[in-house]
Amino acid sequence: IGGGAILYSSLQTPKKFKLGAADGINSRPTAPLPSRKEQIDRLKSEDYDVLIIGGGATGSGCALDAVSRGLKTAMVELDDFSSGTSSRSTKLIHGGVRYLQKAIMKLDYEQYKMVKEALHERANLLEIAPHLSFPLPIMLPVYRWWQVPYFWAGIKAYDLVSGGECLKSSYFLNRERALELFPMLKKNELCGAIVYYDGCHNDARMNISIAITAARLGASIANHVRVTDLIKVDGKVRGAKCRNEIDGEEFEVKAKVVINATGPFTDAIRKMDDGKARDIVCPSAGIHIVLPDYYSPSNMGLLDPATSDGRVIFFLPWQNHTIAGTTDTPCEVTHSPGPSEADIQFILKEVKNYLTPDIDVRRGDVLSAWAGIRPLVKDPNAEDTQSLVRNHVVHVSDSDMITIAGGKWTTYRSMAAETVDAAVKAVGLNCGESRTDGLLLEGAHNWAPTMFIRLVQDLGVDTQVAQHLSSTYGDRAFSVGKLSGLTGKRWPIVGRRIHMEYPYIDAEVKYAVKEYACTAVDVLARRLRLSFLNVQAAEEALPTIINLMAEELGWDEKEKRRQSDMAINFLKTEMGKDVNKASRDEIPINLTKTEISEYVKRFNALDEGKKGYVSINDIRRSFKNEGLMLGDDEVSWAAREANVDQHGSFDLAEFLQMMSALKSGTVSHSRFAKIAEGEYKPHKYGDKMERSGGGV
């Protein structure tokens, strides 16, 4: 009866976008975006109504909410916009199927309201950024007949709660149809599948778009600015002492109220306000891995509702790859979270359980892996200080500092509205209600699904690049494309790719600098997403990115080397390159006597002069002896995959380890392995070599 009562309320008139909320501010801005220097100068010289600390989804949402109300707004971010948890999500915009299940089973009306709010925010986000977000069908395979009506009823309840904001109606598929749409599924005992719809998006780009939209409306925003202390006047927080991390300059930002929206780092700012403040954040690491596109259909996700340890795993197509995750493991708060091998193996094991045995799920197919820290929080106002809140917390301290913590990506806008409401009330600011419901984000105003065709026709970029530009920058894609350099080819005319396997082009790096990218990592991770998709490809593209940024920012050789070192360290520690390498190195040598004998011969053939090791010069000489004249890049890539870049050479034991890793699947599609096996052929223009990170 209680469950029916909850569902009955969902049949009432659904909440729609607030009519007229964004009137007067929803036109496409035409003024140039202020430079980062101009933003910093304003922060130093002007007084503000609101200062937001933190440039993730919630902080950027607060900045947009405040400035759209007419408040003079500032926002500073220690690293880059979306550098933390906001760029490391599962990429879903969702209400929470599992939360609704709990709401109904436990007759929990508060949890039901959370789902209802999230479903409205899901619809709003797809409306205000249609180029960055889209409905994604997600399949729930069923392997027990009794589960069919159970899951079907739950998913239909999800549709009902969505009301008029339901993306598309869910439906049941028989076994044959399910395998037709998701041929990778395990066939044995499959009864059928239920398909429902949620939203999917490019999380980092969405975050940056929110921040840029705030800047277009007049907010002063700056990344790579550290808050070193808070400014207090008569015991009230009235600003912050800051340091520009790019040049070391220190300055103060004065504001009537300060909002702490720093996610996992919430407690550090709270203790600047009050050294005795209790910790409220309980950090939890969520790991995701990226696999090649052939692991999933291009337009269908998969949900594993009950893994071996009771967690939920999503298996989703994203950016022409496949994302699998997530885990949920207690962790320490750090600025550089990284994936663990145990979590990667857990995800691979769960993926294997749902895929047909015909597919060999290999460790070497993990192209990239990353960790995001979820800031689960305790309510500082509650008597029970140990219980975690299920949603988010907005707290006003005795010194009038506002803290927003917890929540999830989908509800960033409503959380921001609630937070700014609290700030307005705390210090008596004069403004109206939130205006962000229906407020279009950067690139959405004149975007259409067919815009990529105009990009091809008007600019002369290839179709894949045009589709990428359209779905990333929306109606700003033309501004990006016009920065492209000539390719020197008949077609495409412009748009030099920074990596042959991906549609990212030179113009995007130049445009990223205009959108406040300050480091190579800013571009690799947030502006292009390459490090999240393929850590090896990211390292290969790094020199090109650094050279392009050097032209825009005036870097000398010393700074270029520093940027390279920082980016490579980021790829190693945060994007899975180190754990990939470790997984390869830990593989026991499991070769047969015949294989060992053959590989010893191949090693000796490479080892010119019988030195006992093979150097990069030996590899180059081997190519020449075979009549293969390859460029330095191809020789360097092959050497890097063989670990030559670690010590300048490799010995027989390391060579056998490499061959064993290839045999076990810990490494796949290695170019160096092809050389060692005598099968290497230089690729021709247009060829695409499918390969994986696999420890290289």
Side-chain angles (χ1 to χ4, degrees):
I1 296 174
I6 289 177
L7 286 178
Y8 172 75
S9 68
S10 71
L11 299 177
Q12 308 309 303
T13 303
K15 177 185 176 185
K16 293 289 185 181
F17 306 121
K18 291 183 179 179
L19 295 177
D23 283 355
I25 55 173
N26 229 349
S27 57
R28 185 179 187 271
T30 56
L33 192 66
S35 69
R36 183 174 182 275
K37 182 183 182 303
E38 291 172 331
Q39 297 281 35
I40 295 284
D41 288 343
R42 287 172 57 189
L43 288 170
K44 291 188 295 186
S45 61
E46 299 181 10
D47 292 347
Y48 293 89
D49 293 320
V50 182
L51 167 64
I52 297 105
I53 305 173
T58 305
S60 297
C62 288
L64 180 56
D65 191 280
V67 74
S68 64
R69 298 188 195 205
L71 298 174
K72 196 166 186 180
T73 304
M75 178 177 71
V76 294
E77 159 60 37
L78 170 61
D79 197 336
D80 186 24
F81 306 119
S82 193
S83 60
T85 309
S86 297
S87 63
R88 304 172 190 233
S89 73
T90 310
K91 321 304 178 194
L92 285 177
I93 310 168
H94 64 115
V97 174
R98 287 289 295 269
Y99 298 133
L100 181 60
Q101 178 194 30
K102 293 176 182 177
I104 294 175
M105 299 301 290
K106 297 181 180 180
L107 308 181
D108 188 336
Y109 186 66
E110 288 302 313
Q111 190 129 287
Y112 162 78
K113 287 200 300 183
M114 283 171 47
V115 176
K116 185 73 173 173
E117 176 187 55
L119 288 170
H120 169 71
E121 294 302 326
R122 179 188 71 176
N124 182 59
L125 203 47
L126 269 67
E127 178 79 14
I128 64 177
H131 57 299
L132 291 172
S133 55
F134 55 91
L136 177 70
I138 300 175
M139 181 179 289
L140 177 60
V142 183
Y143 288 90
R144 298 288 184 271
W145 278 112
W146 67 266
Q147 291 179 327
V148 172
Y150 175 76
F151 286 141
W152 183 87
I155 295 299
K156 281 300 177 185
Y158 195 57
D159 289 350
L160 281 170
V161 174
S162 301
E165 295 170 334
C166 180
L167 301 181
K168 293 184 181 181
S169 183
S170 60
Y171 54 91
F172 175 77
L173 296 171
N174 61 27
R175 181 180 186 274
E176 291 72 23
R177 182 64 175 149
L179 291 173
E180 180 182 334
L181 293 178
F182 209 121
M184 305 83 172
L185 270 183
K186 182 175 67 177
K187 302 175 179 64
N188 291 347
E189 299 181 346
L190 179 67
C191 302
I194 297 167
V195 175
Y196 73 99
Y197 287 80
D198 256 329
C200 187
H201 70 152
N202 182 344
D203 52 1
R205 184 64 205 172
M206 185 75 79
N207 192 157
I208 292 167
S209 295
I210 297 167
I212 295 298
T213 304
R216 297 274 190 196
L217 291 178
S220 300
I221 67 172
N223 53 353
H224 297 284
V225 172
R226 179 186 296 271
V227 170
T228 58
D229 203 355
L230 298 175
I231 298 172
K232 286 192 175 182
V233 178
D234 297 329
K236 301 295 184 181
V237 175
R238 293 294 183 259
K241 296 179 180 180
C242 301
R243 181 171 65 244
N244 184 346
E245 294 291 275
I246 301 302
D247 61 14
E249 181 186 16
E250 296 188 351
F251 57 93
E252 293 184 353
V253 180
K254 297 177 181 178
K256 296 174 183 176
V257 65
V258 173
I259 294 174
N260 171 18
T262 52
F265 307 100
T266 293
D267 289 325
I269 302 298
R270 277 168 47 81
K271 288 180 179 179
M272 284 185 187
D273 177 27
D274 178 3
K276 298 179 181 179
R278 296 183 304 217
D279 287 347
I280 64 171
V281 173
C282 297
S284 176
I287 309 296
H288 293 82
I289 65 173
V290 173
L291 299 165
D293 57 355
Y294 50 74
Y295 271 89
S296 68
S298 61
N299 61 346
M300 180 73 73
L302 184 73
L303 167 64
D304 178 358
T307 62
S308 55
D309 67 351
R311 294 184 285 198
V312 171
I313 289 278
F314 285 98
F315 196 57
L316 307 169
W318 186 73
Q319 301 281 306
N320 298 315
H321 290 69
T322 301
I323 286 182
T326 179
T327 59
D328 188 7
T329 309
C331 67
E332 297 296 321
V333 174
T334 172
H335 287 283
S336 305
S340 70
E341 183 61 26
D343 281 327
I344 291 173
Q345 291 294 344
F346 168 78
I347 295 174
L348 288 174
K349 178 184 174 184
E350 295 301 327
V351 167
K352 193 171 185 177
N353 288 340
Y354 266 86
L355 298 186
T356 173
D358 297 340
I359 296 177
D360 183 12
V361 180
R362 304 177 298 183
R363 175 61 178 83
D365 283 336
V366 177
L367 301 171
S368 180
W370 72 85
I373 300 179
R374 294 191 190 93
L376 305 175
V377 292
K378 295 174 285 192
D379 188 349
N381 300 313
E383 293 183 8
D384 179 6
T385 60
Q386 298 306 310
S387 297
L388 296 176
V389 299
R390 291 169 298 184
N391 199 353
H392 62 271
V393 167
V394 176
H395 176 253
V396 182
S397 72
D398 293 338
S399 59
D400 289 344
M401 186 178 76
I402 316 298
T403 292
I404 169 66
K408 60 182 181 178
W409 227 119
T410 307
T411 56
Y412 85 91
R413 192 208 64 82
S414 58
M415 289 163 53
E418 183 181 340
T419 304
V420 176
D421 282 344
V424 168
K425 181 178 179 182
V427 297
L429 296 175
N430 183 23
C431 68
E433 295 184 349
S434 174
R435 304 181 67 189
T436 53
D437 205 350
L439 176 61
L440 298 177
L441 299 184
E442 175 85 349
H445 298 80
N446 299 324
W447 180 82
T450 56
M451 180 171 286
F452 75 94
I453 298 174
R454 285 181 52 206
L455 288 167
V456 174
Q457 295 174 336
D458 295 354
L459 298 181
V461 296
D462 69 56
T463 302
Q464 188 182 20
V465 167
Q467 290 172 330
H468 157 68
L469 293 177
S470 174
S471 63
T472 302
Y473 304 97
D475 63 18
R476 300 284 176 178
F478 291 94
S479 299
V480 180
K482 289 175 182 177
L483 299 175
S484 301
L486 294 171
T487 64
K489 303 172 185 176
R490 185 188 64 79
W491 187 263
I493 299 171
V494 299
R496 296 196 300 267
R497 295 196 182 206
I498 63 170
H499 193 282
M500 61 184 177
E501 297 174 24
Y502 291 87
Y504 304 125
I505 60 173
D506 54 346
E508 294 181 82
V509 180
K510 300 173 185 178
Y511 195 76
V513 172
K514 296 180 183 295
E515 289 189 332
Y516 312 129
C518 299
T519 70
V521 174
D522 291 351
V523 173
L524 272 178
R526 269 82 63 180
R527 304 317 198 277
L528 301 186
R529 310 317 308 272
L530 188 53
S531 68
F532 281 81
L533 295 174
N534 189 321
V535 69
Q536 181 62 35
E539 184 174 357
E540 292 166 3
L542 181 59
T544 301
I545 290 171
I546 289 176
N547 287 334
L548 287 167
M549 294 189 75
E551 293 176 6
E552 298 296 314
L553 296 170
W555 291 343
D556 57 18
E557 290 301 318
K558 181 180 178 181
E559 179 62 18
K560 287 165 69 173
R561 287 193 297 272
R562 190 179 77 89
Q563 290 290 332
S564 180
D565 290 344
M566 288 193 304
I568 289 173
N569 183 64
F570 169 78
L571 296 175
K572 287 181 175 180
T573 58
E574 298 187 46
M575 293 290 111
K577 186 171 175 61
D578 269 357
V579 289
N580 282 358
K581 178 181 180 300
S583 72
R584 186 192 77 179
D585 293 346
E586 291 172 3
I587 292 294
I589 296 177
N590 60 349
L591 303 172
T592 65
K593 289 183 179 180
T594 302
E595 289 171 331
I596 290 176
S597 175
E598 177 64 24
Y599 288 136
V600 168
K601 291 178 183 178
R602 295 189 187 282
F603 179 85
N604 289 335
L606 287 169
D607 178 13
E608 179 92 2
K610 309 306 177 190
K611 307 179 296 299
Y613 62 86
V614 173
S615 68
I616 191 168
N617 286 330
D618 289 325
I619 296 174
R620 186 178 285 109
R621 192 178 298 114
S622 177
F623 282 140
K624 189 174 180 180
N625 291 340
E626 293 292 327
L628 303 175
M629 303 304 294
L630 302 183
D632 288 341
D633 283 347
E634 289 204 280
V635 175
S636 297
W637 289 345
R640 189 178 296 120
E641 290 178 350
N643 237 20
V644 171
D645 63 328
Q646 297 292 317
H647 312 293
S649 64
F650 62 90
D651 58 23
L652 177 60
E654 290 171 317
F655 180 71
L656 294 177
Q657 182 87 46
M658 173 75 175
M659 295 300 104
S660 186
L662 182 68
K663 179 181 177 180
S664 68
T666 306
V667 169
S668 61
H669 302 106
S670 167
R671 285 163 286 199
F672 175 75
K674 294 296 184 183
I675 299 168
E677 293 172 0
E679 299 174 359
Y680 185 84
K681 295 179 182 178
H683 69 266
K684 299 177 181 178
Y685 175 78
D687 289 348
K688 179 178 179 181
M689 183 176 289
E690 292 292 345
R691 56 170 174 70
S692 65
V696 297

